[in-house]
């Protein structure tokens, strides 16, 4: 009900009217801390119809127990006419709800100037505080993420300015958070990327074509001191309103690259050791293999030498034959020695375009040593559309020699000893080399585990041969598998990518 | 020498077989190259008698097996064994089986010719095929205990190093005993020393030492 306040009339105290107009809970409380008046909204909040229905001892008893003392202190301050700053208290409502209220207390002075009552207002800030709390929580989570995340994290806006920079990023790049925030992210990269980076962002904003976002790639970073290092960068995008932010997660690859290099060198050592040991087991066969041409040469030359005593003109033809044969026998021995020397050398891995038939021919020199006297029948069949592979010569030889020796060994007790190598196209991209023997076969239980290190079933050797074969083939982007030979024995199959005839030798 | 002297060259390696044939032909022998032991055994029965230059390392049937089969089949042709590389044990086995001599590849022409000549002497006079046990024993009688020990080791197909170890002396000392033993037996090659040793063993019905 509206009271018209007539101009010029004495102002009338209409506390009820004022209180009913307040949008929140307002209580007038006397020196005994008893409420003597309460706004309509206040009664509504407390869920009561009138002042008399307020809970016993309200408002103090409505304040959560652990905040009562604070509340009473503030009330005392107000009665002593001190100004009281707004503060938050939790209120326990009669219906059991707990709300957070911002509380204001102000002393009310009588015409005599004595404070005989205070006005207490409670404003429900539960929702507000919750939001603030969530924001704070989100902030503190973000802060803790930024300090603890093992990868460096950098957030930039669409102008490229850094808006957050994690602790790991500080360590990684050598900048303090304070000095880097607000700078363009391009300071973290060396030229020529530095100059181009703004253009990258612009291009993305214009075209939306994702070249790195969500893809990740290996790039180079630049520390504060100017040194550079390889890093793996994953970029994500976040839209906040119309603003776009880009988050970058960065992994320092320096150590990884080093580990990879170490691993590669270890594998190289292992492959080399395995070649040496293969040659070690070949030693006696090798000596024999080289003795044969030497024997032939000695035969021809000693015969030729003794012809010198006879009629040279008459013997000319034989003489020529003896010399010609000696030459080719010398070359035969030389071939074995050369292949052997290559095989045991520990050269750098050097991939280039290789003729597959050449690789197999080279491998056969060592692979088939001593096979003839063991009665092994060897056949090879190369499809004409399988010209080239991109591979390291010695390593490919190593794989082939290894498979051939395994096959020959597996046939030691077989009545029929057939070793066959076949090369054929699988499709335009890949070719397959198969090595089949008619030997004892491989335990099916073992399956592909024969490629695991130390899985030797031969009772001799370390069982590294096949695992090294697998390592080499997989490093070449190929596969190696094994299956039983339908005719008895075993077939090993290797797939490799073909090399284009015009593929560069450069890597 | 007459061109009647026939040599069967049994070797699976083309180049060795062809070159040996070339050399022996030009040295005045008649040559019959054969590609394998199996092929030789097939043709040898009822074939012209000659001497056999027999390679040890061959597929299907190695030289020693061919030798054993020759004895079973009664193919009475003197054999000269070719070994791959210092394989003393194989050489000893071949000698035990009655080979005239053994040669290690690559060999000197003179050594091969000498071995073949010796084989043809044996072919001509089958009685000479074996030295009499009595004569062998007389020759061995002049050896000292240590020299005899070394010869026994060699007869068992052991290398110098192993003989030295077994006797508890140095390999160098074994070599000295070995040289003295050869001088006393008036032989120039290990093959000759082995032949005397085996002849004496046969006289004594010696147990054959196990081959390791």
């Amino acid at each position: 009900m509206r009271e018209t306040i007539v101009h010029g009339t004495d102002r009338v105290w209409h506390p009820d009217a004022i209180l009913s107009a307040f949008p929140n809970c307002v209580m007038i409380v006397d020196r005994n801390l008893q409420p003597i008046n309460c706004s309509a909204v206040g009664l509504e909040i407390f869920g009561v119809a009138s002042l008399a229905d307020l809970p016993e001892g309200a408002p103090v008893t409505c304040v959560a127990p652990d905040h009562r003392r604070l509340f009473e202190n503030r009330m005392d301050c107000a009665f002593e006419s001190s100004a009281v700053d707004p503060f938050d208290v939790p209120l326990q409502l009669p219906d059991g709800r707990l709300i957070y209220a911002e509380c204001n207390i102000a002393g009310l002075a009588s015409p005599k100037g004595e404070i005989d009552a205070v006005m207490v207002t409670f404003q429900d800030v539960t929702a507000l505080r919750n939001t603030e709390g969530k924001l704070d929580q989100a902030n503190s989570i973000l802060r803790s993420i930024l300090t603890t995340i093992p990868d460096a994290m950098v957030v930039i806006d669409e102008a490229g300015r850094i808006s957050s920079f994690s602790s790991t990023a500080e360590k990684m790049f050598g900048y303090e958070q304070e000095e880097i925030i607000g700078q363009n992210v391009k300071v973290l990269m060396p030229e020529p990327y530095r100059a181009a980076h703004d253009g990258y962002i612009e291009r993305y904003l214009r075209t939306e074509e994702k070249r790195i976002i969500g893809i990740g790639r290996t790039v180079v970073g630049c520390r504060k001191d100017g040194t550079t290092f390889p890093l793996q960068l994953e970029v994500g995008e976040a839209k906040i309103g119309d603003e776009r932010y880009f988050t970058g997660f960065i992994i320092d690859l320096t150590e990884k690259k080093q580990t990879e290099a170490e691993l590669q060198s270890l594998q190289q050592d292992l492959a080399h050791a395995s070649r040496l040991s293969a040659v070690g087991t070949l030693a006696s066969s090798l000596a024999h293999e080289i003795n044969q041409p030497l024997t032939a040469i000695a035969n021809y030359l000693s015969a030729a030498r003794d012809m010198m005593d006879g009629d040279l003109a008459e013997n000319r033809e034989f003489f020529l034959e003896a010399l010609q044969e000696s030459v080719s026998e010398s070359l035969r021995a030389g071939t074995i020695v050369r292949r052997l020397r290559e095989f045991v050398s520990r050269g750098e891995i050097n991939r280039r375009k290789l003729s597959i038939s050449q690789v197999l021919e080279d491998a056969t020199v060592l692979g088939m040593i001593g096979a003839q006297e063991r009665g092994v029948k060897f056949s090879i069949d190369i499809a004409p559309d399988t010209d080239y592979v991109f591979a390291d010569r010695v390593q490919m030889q190593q794989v082939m020699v290894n498979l051939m020796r395994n096959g020959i060994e597996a046939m030691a007790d077989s009545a029929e000893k057939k070793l066959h190598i076949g090369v054929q196209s699988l499709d335009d991209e890949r070719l397959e080399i198969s090595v089949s023997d008619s030997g004892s076969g491989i335990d099916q239980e073992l399956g592909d585990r024969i490629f695991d290190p130390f899985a030797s079933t031969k009772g001799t050797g370390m069982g590294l041969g096949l695992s090294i074969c697998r390592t080499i083939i997989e490093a070449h982007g190929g596969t190696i598998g094994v299956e039983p030979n339908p005719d008895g024995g075993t077939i090993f199959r290797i797939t490799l990518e073909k090399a284009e005839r015009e593929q560069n030798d450069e890597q | 020498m007459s061109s009647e002297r026939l040599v069967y060259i049994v070797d699976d390696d083309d180049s060795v077989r062809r070159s040996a044939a070339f050399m022996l032909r030009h040295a005045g022998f008649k040559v019959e190259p054969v590609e394998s032991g199996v092929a030789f055994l097939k043709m040898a029965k009822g074939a012209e008698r000659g001497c056999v230059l027999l390679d040890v390392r061959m597929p299907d049937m190695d030289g020693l097996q061919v030798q054993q089969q020759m004895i079973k089949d009664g193919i009475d042709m003197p054999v000269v064994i070719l070994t791959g590389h210092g394989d003393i044990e194989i050489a000893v086995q071949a000698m035990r089986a009655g080979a005239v001599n053994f040669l290690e590849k690559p060999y000197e022409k003179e050594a091969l010719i000498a071995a073949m000549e010796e084989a043809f002497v044996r072919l001509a006079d089958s009685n000479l095929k074996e030295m009499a046990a009595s004569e062998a024993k007389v020759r061995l009688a002049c050896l000292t205990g240590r020299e005899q020990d070394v010869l026994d080791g060699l007869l068992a197909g052991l290398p110098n190093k192993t003989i030295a170890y077994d006797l508890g002396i140095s390999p160098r000392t074994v070599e000295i005993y070995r040289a003295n033993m050869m001088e006393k037996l008036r032989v120039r090659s290990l093959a000759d020393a082995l032949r005397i040793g085996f002849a004496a063993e046969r006289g004594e019905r010696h147990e054959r030492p196990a081959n390791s």
Side-chain angles (χ1 to χ4, degrees):
Chain A
M1 155 179 206
R2 269 179 145 183
E3 299 283 333
T4 310
I5 298 175
V6 181
H7 195 69
T9 55
D10 289 341
R11 279 192 298 171
V12 184
W13 185 244
H14 275 301
D16 287 354
I18 294 168
L19 285 178
S20 67
F22 265 105
N24 41 29
C25 172
V26 181
M27 280 187 196
I28 310 294
V29 181
D30 67 13
R31 276 194 168 275
N32 299 324
L33 300 185
Q34 287 300 314
I36 49 175
N37 214 331
C38 181
S39 67
V41 171
L43 294 174
E44 205 175 300
I45 287 175
F46 281 97
V48 292
S50 67
L51 195 63
D53 300 330
L54 280 173
E56 185 68 29
V60 179
T61 52
C62 292
V63 174
D66 54 344
H67 279 71
R68 274 180 209 169
R69 179 179 286 262
L70 171 86
F71 181 76
E72 288 170 346
N73 279 346
R74 298 289 156 98
M75 296 286 276
D76 291 347
C77 289
F79 280 112
E80 283 156 25
S81 73
S82 312
V84 175
D85 287 334
F87 61 100
D88 281 6
V89 287
L91 293 179
Q92 192 74 54
L93 300 180
D95 65 2
R97 278 188 306 138
L98 185 75
I99 62 167
Y100 280 91
E102 186 176 88
C103 177
N104 274 287
I105 304 177
L108 298 173
S110 66
K112 292 178 189 166
E114 286 177 14
I115 296 179
D116 53 4
V118 294
M119 181 174 74
V120 181
T121 64
F122 292 114
Q123 190 186 351
D124 184 350
V125 290
T126 312
L128 185 67
R129 290 291 180 267
N130 274 346
T131 315
E132 280 173 359
K134 285 212 172 71
L135 271 177
D136 273 353
Q137 210 177 6
N139 263 327
S140 68
I141 289 174
L142 182 65
R143 265 197 306 279
S144 94
I145 288 174
L146 286 179
T147 37
T148 56
I149 194 163
D151 304 345
M153 189 175 116
V154 177
V155 181
I156 59 169
D157 61 16
E158 55 188 49
R161 282 186 303 260
I162 296 173
S163 59
S164 88
F165 200 72
S166 75
S167 308
T168 311
E170 290 182 314
K171 287 193 204 79
M172 196 182 283
F173 290 95
Y175 287 100
E176 298 290 324
Q177 194 171 335
E178 294 72 36
E179 59 182 326
I180 197 77
I181 297 278
Q183 286 211 52
N184 191 312
V185 70
K186 64 190 181 187
V187 301
L188 301 181
M189 47 195 100
E191 294 295 358
Y193 309 104
R194 187 174 292 193
H197 192 260
D198 287 344
Y200 295 156
I201 302 181
E202 271 166 40
R203 185 185 56 208
Y204 173 67
L205 295 175
R206 208 176 52 243
T207 64
E208 300 264 328
E209 182 198 347
K210 295 185 172 169
R211 297 215 174 183
I212 183 164
I213 292 167
I215 301 165
R217 59 172 50 160
T218 304
V219 293
V220 183
C222 178
R223 300 190 187 92
K224 186 178 178 179
D225 63 11
T227 54
T228 57
F229 63 100
L231 58 88
Q232 169 79 22
L233 176 62
E234 303 279 349
V235 179
E237 185 182 5
K239 288 199 178 93
I240 302 172
D242 324 338
E243 280 278 308
R244 274 191 231 236
Y245 287 90
F246 301 102
T247 50
F249 282 91
I250 298 161
I251 303 170
D252 186 339
L253 292 180
T254 314
E255 221 168 277
K256 198 168 166 225
K257 286 255 191 257
Q258 226 159 348
T259 313
E260 270 170 20
E262 277 165 19
L263 200 62
Q264 195 170 32
S265 127
L266 190 67
Q267 283 173 346
Q268 229 167 308
D269 286 350
L270 201 56
H272 180 240
S274 148
R275 288 204 296 273
L276 286 179
S277 99
V279 167
T281 57
L282 279 179
S284 89
S285 301
L286 266 170
H288 175 74
E289 202 70 18
I290 290 170
N291 251 333
Q292 302 287 70
L294 289 179
T295 305
I297 293 165
N299 283 341
Y300 285 121
L301 291 183
S302 55
R305 178 198 60 205
D306 294 350
M307 283 178 206
M308 301 287 289
D309 301 337
D311 185 345
L312 277 186
E314 196 182 309
N315 283 330
R316 186 186 152 81
E317 226 173 291
F318 296 119
F319 211 82
L320 270 178
E321 184 188 347
L323 293 181
Q324 187 49 55
E325 292 288 347
S326 302
V327 169
S328 40
E329 291 298 329
S330 306
L331 295 177
R332 173 183 157 194
T335 304
I336 297 167
V337 172
R338 195 164 48 247
R339 294 277 167 273
L340 189 68
R341 205 177 48 208
E342 252 168 32
F343 198 69
V344 298
S345 73
R346 54 159 317 124
E348 284 300 297
I349 293 179
N350 173 16
R351 288 193 199 153
R352 42 195 308 189
K353 195 174 73 171
L354 300 177
S355 142
I356 194 79
S357 56
Q358 191 62 55
V359 169
L360 293 177
E361 205 173 298
D362 291 351
T364 310
V365 171
L366 295 180
M368 294 306 290
I369 277 176
Q372 190 192 342
E373 68 198 38
R374 297 192 197 183
V376 176
K377 311 259 184 307
F378 177 66
S379 57
I380 183 162
D381 180 14
I382 303 177
D385 60 344
T386 54
D387 287 341
Y388 294 104
V389 289
F390 198 73
D392 177 82
R393 213 155 69 90
V394 174
Q395 288 199 331
M396 283 313 299
Q397 271 190 53
Q398 178 171 3
V399 171
M400 295 314 300
V401 168
N402 218 318
L403 294 182
M404 290 162 95
R405 305 298 316 171
N406 278 350
I408 292 166
E409 253 172 77
M411 297 190 289
D413 304 323
S414 306
E416 198 183 29
K417 303 180 184 184
K418 286 196 300 194
L419 188 77
H420 178 78
I421 295 183
V423 185
Q424 56 176 15
S425 280
L426 289 177
D427 50 42
D428 291 348
E429 315 283 289
R430 293 170 312 146
L431 56 81
E432 178 190 84
I433 305 170
S434 61
V435 179
S436 7
D437 64 60
S438 58
S440 46
I442 286 174
D443 187 357
Q444 282 307 296
E445 291 291 290
L446 214 53
D448 273 358
R449 275 188 302 132
I450 62 165
F451 296 106
D452 294 349
F454 311 113
S456 178
T457 55
K458 293 191 299 201
T460 57
M462 291 201 294
L464 283 177
L466 284 175
S467 77
I468 286 166
C469 285
R470 181 174 64 182
T471 305
I472 290 173
I473 293 296
E474 287 180 355
H476 280 78
T479 62
I480 182 166
V482 65
E483 61 191 59
N485 188 342
D487 307 337
T490 309
I491 303 178
F492 282 90
R493 293 185 190 280
I494 293 171
T495 64
L496 284 172
E497 283 170 24
K498 289 183 189 174
E500 294 301 320
R501 188 183 286 276
E502 56 276 358
Q503 184 162 3
N504 245 340
D505 265 1
E506 303 307 314
Q507 225 192 323
Chain B
M1 279 276 161
S2 77
S3 59
E4 289 309 300
R5 298 184 303 165
L6 170 63
V7 179
Y8 292 97
I9 303 177
V10 184
D11 194 323
D12 65 304
D13 187 299
D14 280 354
S15 57
V16 173
R17 193 177 61 249
R18 284 176 37 227
S19 61
F22 182 93
M23 176 177 86
L24 287 173
R25 269 197 204 104
H26 287 281
F29 292 88
K30 191 170 141 191
V31 175
E32 181 72 55
V34 189
E35 290 188 21
S36 74
V38 179
F40 172 71
L41 289 169
K42 257 190 209 149
M43 69 182 295
K45 280 185 197 167
E48 184 185 344
R49 282 183 85 227
C51 294
V52 186
L53 186 59
L54 181 59
D55 187 40
V56 161
R57 284 181 175 233
M58 287 188 296
D60 302 331
M61 222 179 174
D62 67 28
L64 295 178
Q65 291 170 315
V66 172
Q67 248 191 314
Q68 299 298 338
Q69 197 57 46
M70 283 171 70
I71 294 168
K72 281 185 194 149
D73 293 354
I75 298 166
D76 179 21
M77 301 192 202
V79 170
V80 173
I81 284 276
L82 288 184
T83 64
H85 51 97
D87 201 337
I88 182 86
E89 197 190 323
I90 289 183
V92 168
Q93 285 183 48
M95 295 299 294
R96 190 186 292 286
V100 177
N101 209 330
F102 70 89
L103 293 168
E104 188 184 327
K105 292 180 190 175
Y107 42 79
E108 301 219 346
K109 180 184 175 183
E110 294 67 29
L112 178 67
I113 300 289
M116 294 321 300
E117 300 280 6
E118 195 180 356
F120 278 102
V121 170
R122 181 84 66 87
L123 185 68
D125 185 357
S126 290
N127 295 340
L128 262 180
K129 191 153 71 173
E130 286 166 10
M131 177 184 278
S134 54
E135 188 194 341
K137 280 190 186 154
V138 170
R139 287 222 204 166
L140 293 179
C142 63
L143 298 182
T144 65
R146 272 292 188 233
E147 288 162 359
Q148 181 66 55
D149 289 340
V150 170
L151 179 59
D152 287 344
L154 292 168
L155 289 170
L158 303 173
N160 284 0
K161 261 197 302 198
T162 314
I163 296 171
Y165 180 82
D166 290 345
L167 299 179
I169 55 182
S170 78
R172 182 81 196 94
T173 314
V174 171
E175 278 170 38
I176 294 168
Y177 283 132
R178 182 171 157 171
N180 293 347
M181 178 263 297
M182 309 258 288
E183 200 171 325
K184 285 184 182 169
L185 294 180
R186 299 193 306 279
V187 294
R188 300 240 305 277
S189 72
L190 177 59
D192 291 339
L194 291 175
R195 197 170 332 114
I196 294 171
F198 289 138
E201 269 184 24
R202 270 194 300 277
E204 294 197 352
R205 294 271 169 265
H206 232 285
E207 289 239 323
R208 281 173 53 164
N211 295 313
S212 54

